[in-house]
Amino acid sequence: MTALQKIFLLIAVGYVMFKIVMGIIVYIITVKVEKKGLERKRRREMILRARRMKNMELYRRQYLQLEERKRDLAAM
């Protein structure tokens, strides 16, 4: 092998190793971001579920009050 061929081979191997390492790093980052995103999604769903239940109870009470007022007005 000539000196240029050895340099080219060294550069090619270095490039392949760089690509492999970058692929591993990107995979690890993607897994961490996905885990954090799922955690935030679960937390957000819990908050929304609690808010939905609170609103449903509030609406139920309001409809009951409305029905009572209608009955009171009809009785008069």
Side-chain angles (χ1 to χ4, degrees):
M1 283 183 127
T2 65
L4 283 175
Q5 287 174 330
K6 288 180 182 177
I7 291 172
F8 176 76
L9 183 61
L10 180 65
I11 290 172
V13 169
Y15 175 75
V16 169
M17 291 300 293
F18 176 76
K19 294 293 273 186
I20 290 171
V21 169
M22 288 303 292
I24 292 170
I25 290 172
V26 167
Y27 174 76
I28 291 170
I29 290 171
T30 303
V31 168
K32 286 184 179 183
V33 168
E34 184 179 14
K35 185 186 290 184
K36 186 177 276 188
L38 288 174
E39 178 184 326
R40 286 183 180 178
K41 180 183 176 188
R42 274 189 237 106
R43 194 174 332 128
R44 186 176 59 243
E45 284 177 348
M46 284 178 25
I47 291 169
L48 289 175
R49 191 177 314 120
R51 187 181 300 164
R52 214 174 295 123
M53 294 300 290
K54 180 180 168 187
N55 285 339
M56 286 176 62
E57 179 62 25
L58 179 68
Y59 297 154
R60 187 184 68 79
R61 284 189 205 149
Q62 289 175 346
Y63 283 124
L64 287 175
Q65 290 174 357
L66 177 66
E67 291 298 322
E68 285 179 24
R69 273 188 263 143
K70 282 184 180 179
R71 272 187 270 133
D72 289 345
L73 290 176
M76 287 185 167

